[in-house]
Amino acid sequence: MKMIKLKFNLVYLFLIFFFNSNTVFSASFTFPSSLTTNTSDFVLLSETGTTPSVSGFSTDVLITIRATAGFVKITTVSGLEQINGYCGYTANSSSEPSNCADDNRSEIGFEGTQSEVNAALATLSFKGDGSTSSVSITASATPTGAAYNSENGHYYRAVSATDIRWDDARAAAKSEAQKFNGLTGYLVNITTAQENDFVANKVSVNAWTGGSDSGTERVWRWMDGPEAGQTYTCQKFGTGGTGEESPINGVVCTEQSYLNWDFGEPNQYNGTNEDYMHVYGTGDKKGSWNDYVINNSNVDAYIIEYGGMGGTATVQGTATISITSTEASGTYTAFDDKELVGIVEGQSEGAKRFIYNSTNAVLERIEWHRTTKKNDNIKFDDVGISIDLKENTYPYAKLLDLYLLKGSIEKKQLISEKNINKFINELPLSNYLKNEFGLLPQEWKIWSSGYFKKGKIKARVNKKKEDFDSNALTIGMDKIIDENKLVGFALRKEYEDTDIGNSGTEIKSNSTSITAYSSTYQSHSFFIDGLVGYGRISNSLIRIEEANTSNSLTGKRDINQFFGSIKFNKLTNKNKFTSLLFGRGDFGFSFLEGFTESGNIQALKFEEQKLQHRSFSFGSLLKYKKKINRGHFLPYGRVEVFENFSPLSNVNAWYVSDLNTKYNHQIMENYDNSIKLEIGFDLNLIDSWYISASLRRLYRNTGNLENELAIKASKPF
């Protein structure tokens, strides 16, 4: 294996700072001038004859070392303590960070006395990963007590304070008591993705930040620090959402380029004055922003930021090493990273799932209508006015007197759907409105369908496992044109969270679709359903590098979709049973827009991607009708088999740092067929709501599965 000479400059940085007493301090960081290394072995920097070290510190020292590519580690950890967010940090920060000796970290951090950190630095070693020919290593030595962000030169400290109010946290952050080595702090202002990731991973606490719209509702400002008075969010009217055009309430508002509000936030929950911003530090929402009232008891901490106001901490030494050449493995490609493969294939899977879910909700609505139609109560809708026809009621008696009781005809013969419609059309009000205004009784029905879904896609060679959770609501309206045809439209909103592997790679999706549909009887028992639709998905992406789990990259990607479906149905009614045999064909096209990641030198630029979805399914439904006090109860079971015919799709990407080399990955379908089992019930209440609930499980031939709870409701109006 070829060996490459890595050239390092000897770096001595002496930075002089002042306390209020004008006491002068200085520090230095020493690195070797050259190093020979490769992609197979770690090489000690001290083998050059120059041992990495710091000097000039009289207090404990915080050391952070970050390589933009390749790996770094130390093997001596005696006396050191862990730093939040580094080297697989655990809650026991007093424990020695032995995991800083792992072979797969490009970022390590630890703290101790000057002699303890120098003993550790003497064992510092580096190994290339063959991914790039340009690497930089940044090593920082700072006073302990705050996390240091080498990207912007700022310091961050989390302060615990049970039930603290936002205004009290703001005052405390700026107080003399919370100064850090002579620097006055302020509640943190988060202005970039890198800074947000740093706060989420290196500070990681549910805490108040420096943002508020208390001055002007829906105009969010940073209140203190170098960004004091700057607007950063122009909130749309109503619940959640940003991007409203200025001015808002007379104030010109300019949004900053980076925002990370949680879905639907800020939202003035329940009409309360949620005018103060905090950041989630743990759980699924880690790093997301939210608004709270000033005294919300869920916040027990605040984050202080130091920097950007002039001056710096009392002592600091920083060394940056530029490695101009590393060994290339020759076989390495960007898509050797399983996390990358997982996130690009996860986007494709999510896009196809949304098409299927949007289609399925509508087709099930049509099916529901057909299989329950004969159980519908006869309902009069005279220009939106419902007439109660229960026996022993005044309207019922009057109709019998005026329109039914003619001669000796029996009631059962007269109270039929055909006769009832005839009677209504003959009502004086109906005739008057029809003749004078051309108005006809309306027969539109509004319906809704909601579901919660959990799914899993197993890991395979070169791909991480996927776990996804989603919830959705579909609202539609439809109308019977004549006895043979149903037409309608539906609007669907869906949220999905997909976790790739276990390192933190994640896809958060916010999706909307609109669908137009129709169903037509071809004979007494045979009918055809069809639909077309358009959907749009907005994905928020977090990708963790497999080789360096401390490095995260972020991005946002939109997807436009067009889809359709046709379904053939054979309906049979016998006694109390209804059976349905069906076959279905689905097709869809998804266009994934190009986008560029942000975060570090490993960021990728993705080309527009095209996806096709084609499948066929067939199955059967069996439903039993049981009469109850106010309607019918209809339990049912379903089985459906799917065949997948979707073609391959290509993903093209470039490193932002090297746009001359294109990497390609081919997305292959990971299943050929699947089977869905379902049990549920319909509840058909007379002159009222139609309610349905079901439990479903989808099995794929790969062993992957999805579980779903669905709830539907419909009401005529």
Side-chain angles (χ1 to χ4, degrees), residues 474-591:
T474 306
I475 298 176
M477 294 180 62
D478 51 36
K479 180 181 181 180
I480 299 174
I481 301 297
D482 53 42
E483 292 185 358
N484 297 322
K485 191 171 186 178
L486 176 78
V487 297
F489 62 90
L491 180 67
R492 181 180 182 84
K493 192 72 175 177
E494 181 173 333
Y495 299 97
E496 184 171 273
D497 191 350
T498 303
D499 294 319
I500 311 296
N502 300 311
S503 301
T505 296
E506 181 181 45
I507 306 170
K508 288 187 176 180
S509 302
N510 182 354
S511 312
T512 305
S513 68
I514 185 167
T515 306
Y517 59 92
S518 165
S519 179
T520 304
Y521 265 107
Q522 301 300 304
S523 67
H524 179 68
S525 61
F526 181 73
F527 56 95
I528 301 175
D529 308 328
L531 64 86
V532 293
Y534 166 78
R536 184 170 176 85
I537 303 173
S538 295
N539 284 335
S540 294
L541 310 169
I542 300 175
R543 177 169 68 90
I544 306 299
E545 289 185 71
E546 184 181 26
N548 177 19
T549 56
S550 63
N551 279 350
S552 67
L553 300 113
T554 59
K556 294 187 181 294
R557 191 177 207 181
D558 293 331
I559 304 174
N560 294 293
Q561 299 183 306
F562 302 90
F563 55 89
S565 180
I566 186 168
K567 184 181 178 187
F568 301 90
N569 307 265
K570 179 70 167 65
L571 181 67
T572 303
N573 289 291
K574 188 174 182 180
N575 297 325
K576 295 183 178 183
F577 290 91
T578 297
S579 64
L580 183 72
L581 299 176
F582 57 87
R584 166 180 166 184
D586 295 284
F587 63 91
F589 301 91
S590 298
F591 301 91

Side-chain angles (χ1 to χ4, degrees), residues 263-415:
F263 284 132
E265 304 293 348
N267 63 1
Q268 296 284 85
Y269 182 70
N270 282 342
T272 56
N273 292 320
E274 291 192 317
D275 295 336
Y276 306 93
M277 173 182 152
H278 82 102
V279 60
Y280 291 107
T282 58
D284 295 339
K285 297 183 177 183
K286 182 178 179 179
S288 297
W289 306 351
N290 180 42
D291 59 333
Y292 271 152
V293 296
I294 195 170
N295 60 343
N296 192 292
S297 59
N298 291 322
V299 185
D300 290 326
Y302 58 96
I303 300 173
I304 308 176
E305 182 178 358
Y306 306 88
M309 304 282 290
T312 186
T314 309
V315 289
Q316 175 189 335
T318 302
T320 300
I321 306 165
S322 295
I323 304 172
T324 58
S325 178
T326 61
E327 177 183 287
S329 66
T331 59
Y332 183 90
T333 70
F335 290 98
D336 288 338
D337 189 322
K338 293 181 181 180
E339 299 283 341
L340 176 58
V341 173
I343 202 168
V344 298
E345 296 197 358
Q347 292 174 73
S348 300
E349 288 284 343
K352 293 175 184 178
R353 257 193 319 269
F354 184 61
I355 287 179
Y356 174 78
N357 293 338
S358 299
T359 301
N360 204 50
V362 170
L363 292 178
E364 287 185 349
R365 159 61 187 172
I366 300 173
E367 180 184 282
W368 185 23
H369 170 79
R370 294 299 189 192
T371 57
T372 60
K373 185 176 185 298
K374 291 188 177 296
N375 305 311
D376 286 348
N377 185 60
I378 300 170
K379 184 176 180 67
F380 294 165
D381 293 321
D382 193 337
V383 201
I385 301 174
S386 296
I387 299 177
D388 189 354
L389 288 181
K390 296 177 183 177
E391 293 192 31
N392 303 319
T393 63
Y394 178 76
Y396 183 89
K398 292 297 293 182
L399 284 171
L400 289 177
D401 291 340
L402 295 176
Y403 298 104
L404 300 180
L405 298 181
K406 297 179 181 180
S408 60
I409 302 176
E410 297 182 358
K411 292 182 180 181
K412 288 184 180 181
Q413 179 181 349
L414 292 170
I415 305 178

Side-chain angles (χ1 to χ4, degrees), residues 182-208:
L183 294 181
T184 300
Y186 49 91
L187 285 182
V188 61
N189 301 338
I190 304 174
T191 60
T192 67
Q194 188 278 332
E195 186 175 24
N196 195 76
D197 290 343
F198 185 91
V199 170
N201 296 309
K202 304 300 190 293
V203 182
S204 68
V205 64
N206 187 59
W208 291 120

Side-chain angles (χ1 to χ4, degrees), residues 244-253:
E244 184 170 307
E245 293 183 2
S246 295
I248 300 176
N249 295 331
V251 177
V252 176
C253 177

Side-chain angles (χ1 to χ4, degrees), residues 333-335 607 649-654 662-667:
T333 70
F335 290 98
E607 191 177 59
S649 176
N650 289 316
V651 182
N652 296 318
W654 301 258
K662 181 168 64 175
Y663 299 94
N664 175 269
H665 177 70
Q666 197 171 61
I667 297 179

